Amino acid sequence: MRSLIRYLIKNYAFLLFLLLEIVSFILLFNFGRYQKVQYFNSANRITASVYRGFNSVVNYFELTKINRELADENALLKSQIQLKKNSEVASLSNVSRFFVGDTTYKYIPVRVINNSVNKVFNYITLDKGWKQGIKPDQGIVSPNGIVGVVISVSNSYSLGLSVLNQRWSVSVKLKKNGYFGSLSWRGNDYRIANLMEIPFHVELAHGDTVVTSGYSSIFPEGILVGTIQSFSKPQGENYYNIQVRLSTDFKALSFVDVIENMNKKEIKKLENVNQDGTTNN
Amino acid sequence: MGQQIIKYFVMFVTLILIQVLVLNQVQFSGYVNPYLYILFILLLPLNTPRYSVLLLAFVLGLSIDIFSNSLGIHSAATVLIAFIRPFVIRSISNREEDRSDYPGLRQNGFRWFLYYTAIMVIVHHTFLFYVEVFTFVNFWTTLSRVLLSSLFSIFVIVLSQYLIFRE
């Protein structure tokens, strides 16, 4: 017994080392669970305010570029409004009235205060939180396309998964024929993601546009994701192997929008009722 | 002693800030990410009790993890190099030499410091990158990331010895 204690004291460094490694790996493997705990990620008060302070300095030097992007987006929106107005005049006025007041999706402008592209699991930190109406499972989009989804929210900050995260995939479809699949990222290149579950009989071409499907309540339908860069038919499988060039430049994210689906609760409720119904049968 | 603690505390905070605000944002071609923060572990005095080196390494790694949303990865890698540090130092040092207590470049010479840094950085990065991907599937891709990032880290750490952490 005494020799055991002596042995332990003599090797305490090794035991402490083992203990700390075990704690680290427990944290690592349970991160999915801790992700939602705001103290353990970059959306907590201290880390986020460090990022925000630094970001406001850096942003200052990018103002010209940001201004240009905003102006471009404004121009695009204006032209869309014009198009819509024109079509309203053309169509029956009492039909279009139903769509004018459509407020299913609300956009909240936020600033990206931290972002990475070179890890296996990339995250983005945003400078708004509960107080400004951000909640988990809301989509994040940039003027150029989808960015990710909010997973953890603190009082004034929030943390999102970006498309460049192997723990996440998003439901997308081909714009030209509506076939849908899921988009996920395999690592390595921050400009390329993989589109799966598109069967062989679908006609594909380089440059085909990929947009969100709207099947999940996170994103509205038709938000730009990217274009098809290359595709192949792997042998012995039923689905294409498609590389999609992402339209969002993840290296240059500054201002993005968080999308709130006003009907999400209702949709979830309906889906749950349905599921309960089928299990009871 | 108190002065030492303050000095290391300032260094701790500075290194974390440089790491998360500057170096983590430097992303050459999505492959290379230098990790300067382990310099803190490298420069702890040699007579620091082993338990405090290990605990400090854990806290340092965890801080980096919280900033970069990679809970457990950096803490595991940093604790590992904290543990092997005495063995590395013993293996590259000449026994008869009168060693200084501070493992800096000035005190021990360029060659010694380069070996020391290279071994620690390569062990740290290898562990870090393979634990991060958690697979040997893309073995060579990961290895190239390890080597490129290691080169960069070693360069930055050695350079830092000439610029700031002179003493």
Side-chain angles (χ1 to χ4, degrees):
Chain A
M1 192 62 205
R2 191 180 295 165
S3 62
L4 178 71
I5 293 171
R6 205 184 308 146
Y7 175 80
L8 290 182
I9 292 172
K10 208 177 139 205
N11 290 295
Y12 80 94
F14 181 66
L15 292 172
L16 183 63
F17 162 68
L18 273 187
L19 179 77
L20 292 174
E21 289 290 346
I22 290 168
V23 172
S24 299
F25 276 96
I26 289 174
L27 289 173
L28 173 60
F29 291 129
N30 290 309
F31 186 58
R33 228 173 291 160
Y34 290 113
Q35 241 173 14
K36 309 241 152 124
V37 185
Q38 29 165 297
Y39 303 106
F40 283 134
N41 61 47
S42 66
N44 79 48
R45 200 150 44 116
I46 300 170
T47 51
S49 46
V50 168
Y51 277 133
R52 191 174 65 166
F54 185 73
N55 194 264
S56 51
V57 177
V58 175
N59 251 356
Y60 185 78
F61 298 102
E62 293 180 345
L63 278 182
T64 335
K65 203 181 115 251
I66 292 166
N67 271 339
R68 202 177 52 228
E69 275 174 18
L70 288 176
D72 285 349
E73 201 195 354
N74 255 344
L76 185 77
L77 292 176
K78 271 182 190 160
S79 59
Q80 278 173 359
I81 289 176
Q82 203 57 44
L83 267 178
K84 197 163 186 192
K85 268 187 187 161
N86 291 346
S87 66
E88 262 171 41
V89 174
S91 68
L92 291 167
S93 58
N94 59 346
V95 174
S96 60
R97 195 178 298 154
F98 289 105
F99 301 103
V100 173
D102 187 6
T103 52
T104 316
Y105 293 99
K106 196 176 106 185
Y107 288 72
I108 308 167
V110 295
R111 206 171 82 196
V112 176
I113 54 175
N114 183 48
N115 171 34
S116 67
V117 298
N118 61 347
K119 306 224 168 64
V120 183
F121 308 108
N122 292 297
Y123 294 85
I124 27 183
T125 318
L126 309 171
D127 76 334
K128 283 185 182 164
W130 282 119
K131 285 191 209 152
Q132 290 84 9
I134 312 272
K135 297 185 197 79
D137 290 335
Q138 291 177 337
I140 309 168
V141 294
S142 79
N144 301 321
I146 64 161
V147 175
V149 60
V150 177
I151 50 163
S152 167
V153 182
S154 67
N155 268 335
S156 334
Y157 301 99
S158 47
L159 178 74
L161 288 178
S162 81
V163 172
L164 312 181
N165 192 313
Q166 297 186 0
R167 290 197 179 101
W168 189 53
S169 66
V170 59
S171 169
V172 298
K173 65 176 183 184
L174 295 169
K175 197 178 178 186
K176 66 173 182 186
N177 52 22
Y179 279 100
F180 67 95
S182 75
L183 185 90
S184 67
W185 187 64
R186 300 241 177 97
N188 298 336
D189 192 339
Y190 68 94
R191 287 161 300 193
I192 305 292
N194 288 75
L195 173 56
M196 292 165 306
E197 295 159 31
I198 299 285
F200 282 163
H201 64 82
V202 180
E203 296 258 329
L204 290 181
H206 294 278
D208 278 356
T209 310
V210 180
V211 295
T212 53
S213 68
Y215 289 158
S216 70
S217 46
I218 297 173
F219 294 107
E221 190 193 338
I223 290 188
L224 189 61
V225 173
T227 50
I228 292 181
Q229 173 162 321
S230 63
F231 56 90
S232 61
K233 290 184 174 181
Q235 280 197 333
E237 279 177 50
N238 298 320
Y239 298 113
Y240 280 110
N241 183 1
I242 307 173
Q243 273 79 44
V244 176
R245 188 170 197 91
L246 296 167
S247 58
T248 306
D249 183 0
F250 283 92
K251 253 190 182 175
L253 286 179
S254 48
F255 285 92
V256 295
D257 293 314
V258 170
I259 302 182
E260 184 175 4
N261 185 343
M262 309 299 267
N263 297 341
K264 181 178 251 170
K265 252 190 198 155
E266 211 176 317
I267 294 171
K268 275 266 134 52
K269 213 170 124 191
L270 189 64
E271 283 175 353
N272 286 342
V273 166
N274 229 346
Q275 271 171 7
D276 290 348
T278 50
T279 47
N280 285 340
N281 286 340
Chain B
M1 184 66 191
Q3 218 178 1
Q4 281 280 63
I5 290 175
I6 293 170
K7 191 187 111 193
Y8 277 97
F9 180 74
V10 172
M11 185 162 132
F12 186 87
V13 175
T14 321
L15 282 174
I16 289 180
L17 290 181
I18 294 178
Q19 183 63 49
V20 299
L21 295 179
V22 184
L23 296 178
N24 282 2
Q25 318 295 333
V26 180
Q27 293 156 351
F28 303 102
S29 72
Y31 274 107
V32 183
N33 197 345
Y35 291 105
L36 172 70
Y37 74 93
I38 60 169
L39 181 62
F40 179 80
I41 301 299
L42 296 185
L43 290 187
L44 281 173
L46 296 183
N47 63 2
T48 320
R50 289 195 71 183
Y51 69 88
S52 51
V53 179
L54 286 166
L55 288 174
L56 281 168
F58 183 71
V59 176
L60 177 68
L62 202 63
S63 314
I64 299 288
D65 278 333
I66 290 174
F67 269 103
S68 43
N69 300 303
S70 57
L71 211 56
I73 297 176
H74 286 279
S75 50
T78 317
V79 166
L80 174 67
I81 57 160
F83 180 71
I84 63 162
R85 191 176 90 126
F87 306 114
V88 173
I89 292 178
R90 215 174 302 155
S91 69
I92 58 171
S93 301
N94 222 329
R95 229 158 270 221
E96 294 92 53
E97 250 179 303
D98 215 10
R99 302 226 62 80
S100 143
D101 190 38
Y102 180 77
L105 188 145
R106 286 291 157 87
Q107 290 72 14
N108 298 287
F110 179 79
R111 211 185 153 86
W112 185 90
F113 191 76
L114 187 66
Y115 283 154
Y116 177 47
T117 312
I119 296 173
M120 296 285 270
V121 164
I122 289 170
V123 170
H124 176 267
H125 286 27
T126 311
F127 188 85
L128 184 80
F129 284 102
Y130 280 104
V131 168
E132 192 189 15
V133 295
F134 217 77
T135 164
F136 287 115
V137 175
N138 297 317
F139 185 84
W140 298 108
T141 323
T142 313
L143 191 67
S144 66
R145 289 181 64 196
V146 169
L147 293 179
L148 281 172
S149 295
S150 296
L151 276 180
F152 241 91
S153 301
I154 294 168
F155 176 73
V156 175
I157 287 175
V158 171
L159 191 71
S160 75
Q161 288 293 293
Y162 288 102
L163 299 177
I164 355 169
F165 302 102
R166 255 180 288 192
E167 232 153 304

